[in-house]
Amino acid sequence: MGTSSGSNINHQHSSKMLPPRQQPRPGSLQTSLSLVSSEHRLSPDAQEPRSNSDNVHESPTESASSQETWPTADAVTAKKMENGKIENDCPEQSVIRRVSSADKITLRDIARERVDVISEKMHRLPDEFLDELKNQLKAILEGNGGSQNREEFLILQKLVQSRSDLTAKTLIRAHRAQLEILVAINTGIQAFLHPNISLSQTSLIEVFVYKRCRNIACQNQLPADDCTCELCANRNGFCNLCMCVICNKFDFEVNTCRWIGCDLCSHWTHTDCAIRDGQICMGSSVKSGSGPNEMLFRCRACNRTSELFGWVKDVFQHCAPAWDREALMRELDFVSRIFRGSDDPRGKKLFWKCEDLLEKMRGGQAESTACRSILIFFQGTM
């Protein structure tokens, strides 16, 4: 069973997908790519004992999806106080005051005005003013202003996405900062505004017109691996190497049960999305096609199934020894929710084992003890 997808640029396909989202490397597995931190919380139901026969498709209301943004910038240095007055030595503000009102442009101007008109204006503006525009958009994308920022972003995005003149041909004439802003608005990803991210003009244009993956850690041309499936052909900007086929988002988690990879078509799905969407359920054995049912994952991209017990076993045997306490509890909770509705003996025992270990760890059991216990459990299964 394929284990988990990742933001790997050199993702390789094989008859059996590598556990989880890793590149082959002698002696150890790849650790998590942590360009963006994702918050993971245990399901509220993990706080109380529960039966594996209830709520088969239960999962958190929010998708286990990506935070497709760059980490928040450092706080601005405090203003200096001298002789009882505030001394403002911020160069951006002094430059902005020298820009005439006729030359100033706004984010909405960039979102709605012709590319060549805005480009010409931006070439006349100082870099400090352009940096301030990008900082304004960063603040909007970070969402710290609440609903007001959200509404402003939706306005900007609607303005950009409703235009028919923003093509690869016209965007060649865009100012560099203008193009970065347009891409950030279109994708909702503030990483394109980050000073340490420097993609070529061609790459930015390809991201905007959905010919290159918007995940900066991936950046594969689309469709990835020249995939001809209906999903890759018809979903703008979708990358089968790093995005969930259900929520269309990516993140930077590897070595985890958070993602499920299809053995057959090599597309990836967030586990939470699969649970919520009913893609995890009981079915006939994948190996024999008959006999007792087992818990299966049905891939939305190819509509074929893969078994889940062996996948979970592979993930834990390869990765559990490297997990810290929080990660181990999170992974046990993922597995508990996957197998909560299991009817087969192995699946039931795995559910009960995860629930038991979660309860013991909440009571103070060391993660090393819990890890050893679950690995011994898997060693005793076929």
Side-chain angles (χ1 to χ4, degrees):
M1 174 66 196
T3 49
S4 181
S5 108
S7 309
N8 299 329
I9 295 175
N10 299 312
H11 187 90
Q12 299 180 10
H13 299 304
S14 64
S15 59
K16 182 176 180 65
M17 299 184 74
L18 294 171
R21 302 204 301 173
Q22 64 177 351
Q23 293 299 319
R25 186 176 68 178
S28 63
L29 291 174
Q30 176 181 344
T31 56
S32 175
L33 174 62
S34 55
L35 290 178
V36 176
S37 62
S38 298
E39 291 296 323
H40 304 283
R41 292 182 174 85
L42 294 178
S43 165
D45 294 334
Q47 307 304 317
E48 298 177 4
R50 54 198 175 186
S51 167
N52 78 321
S53 62
D54 298 331
N55 302 319
V56 175
H57 303 307
E58 181 180 349
S59 66
T61 55
E62 295 299 322
S63 166
S65 58
S66 60
Q67 297 181 33
E68 299 176 346
T69 56
W70 199 259
T72 305
D74 293 336
V76 179
T77 306
K79 295 180 180 179
K80 296 180 180 179
M81 300 292 295
E82 182 176 357
N83 298 327
K85 296 181 180 180
I86 298 177
E87 177 184 333
N88 185 355
D89 57 359
C90 177
E92 289 85 349
Q93 293 191 5
S94 63
V95 170
I96 291 173
R97 284 197 295 269
R98 293 199 295 269
V99 175
S100 69
S101 58
D103 290 333
K104 285 185 178 180
I105 58 174
T106 67
L107 291 173
R108 290 198 185 188
D109 291 334
I110 296 172
R112 65 189 167 202
E113 300 294 337
R114 278 173 38 189
V115 172
D116 57 337
V117 173
I118 294 297
S119 178
E120 185 177 346
K121 287 185 177 182
M122 293 184 86
H123 277 100
R124 295 197 301 264
L125 291 167
D127 290 342
E128 292 82 359
F129 186 92
L130 302 182
D131 288 341
E132 178 60 25
L133 277 175
K134 290 196 284 186
N135 287 334
Q136 289 174 20
L137 183 54
K138 281 183 190 178
I140 291 172
L141 292 174
E142 286 169 4
N144 294 332
S147 60
Q148 184 176 355
N149 277 351
R150 176 66 177 168
E151 291 170 5
E152 181 62 21
F153 168 69
L154 292 175
I155 290 171
L156 292 170
Q157 193 172 64
K158 184 176 181 180
L159 286 170
V160 169
Q161 294 183 350
S162 63
R163 294 173 60 176
S164 60
D165 64 314
L166 297 178
T167 64
K169 184 176 180 179
T170 60
L171 288 172
I172 292 175
R173 304 180 64 182
H175 186 282
R176 170 77 189 195
Q178 177 187 13
L179 185 54
E180 290 172 346
I181 288 171
L182 286 171
V183 172
I185 292 174
N186 194 42
T187 62
I189 302 174
Q190 62 162 295
F192 292 106
L193 305 170
H194 199 279
N196 292 336
I197 298 296
S198 182
L199 301 181
S200 69
Q201 189 96 343
T202 299
S203 292
L204 286 169
I205 292 173
E206 288 176 343
V207 170
F208 188 91
V209 298
Y210 307 116
K211 296 299 183 183
R212 185 176 294 275
C213 179
R214 69 182 184 272
N215 178 357
I216 290 178
C218 179
Q219 281 291 292
N220 275 277
Q221 290 201 322
L222 302 178
D225 285 349
D226 296 319
C227 181
T228 58
C229 78
E230 183 178 353
L231 197 81
C232 290
N234 298 325
R235 187 181 292 181
N236 281 342
F238 178 75
C239 176
N240 63 52
L241 299 183
C242 70
M243 294 180 188
C244 172
V245 301
I246 294 177
C247 74
N248 203 39
K249 295 182 178 180
F250 63 84
D251 60 38
F252 302 103
E253 292 293 317
V254 296
N255 300 345
T256 175
C257 295
R258 178 184 172 94
W259 287 85
I260 304 174
C262 177
D263 288 338
L264 300 167
C265 73
S266 303
H267 287 38
W268 303 100
T269 304
H270 282 121
T271 299
D272 273 337
C273 292
I275 293 173
R276 189 182 57 253
D277 213 50
Q279 303 299 114
I280 291 177
C281 58
M282 295 295 296
S284 299
S285 172
V286 174
K287 294 179 180 179
S288 64
S290 60
N293 287 353
E294 61 182 339
M295 196 60 80
L296 303 175
F297 164 69
R298 181 173 297 278
C299 176
R300 180 183 282 188
C302 66
N303 204 36
R304 289 176 286 188
T305 57
S306 304
E307 65 93 23
L308 287 169
F309 189 94
W311 160 66
V312 169
K313 181 177 179 179
D314 285 346
V315 174
F316 272 75
Q317 288 181 334
H318 282 91
C319 309
W323 291 334
D324 60 18
R325 183 178 187 84
E326 180 183 359
L328 179 58
M329 293 186 73
R330 183 174 66 245
E331 299 300 323
L332 288 169
D333 184 65
F334 272 126
V335 178
S336 173
R337 287 190 283 112
I338 289 170
F339 286 91
R340 184 175 305 160
S342 179
D343 290 335
D344 70 292
R346 287 195 313 172
K348 285 182 179 180
K349 290 178 181 178
L350 179 55
F351 168 82
W352 292 331
K353 184 65 176 179
C354 291
E355 287 290 287
D356 179 58
L357 289 176
L358 282 168
E359 183 177 353
K360 288 179 178 177
M361 290 186 73
R362 287 193 289 269
Q365 185 181 72
E367 59 267 29
S368 59
T369 303
C371 180
R372 185 164 55 251
S373 179
I374 189 68
L375 291 180
I376 290 173
F377 170 84
F378 281 124
Q379 287 174 4
T381 63
M382 296 297 293

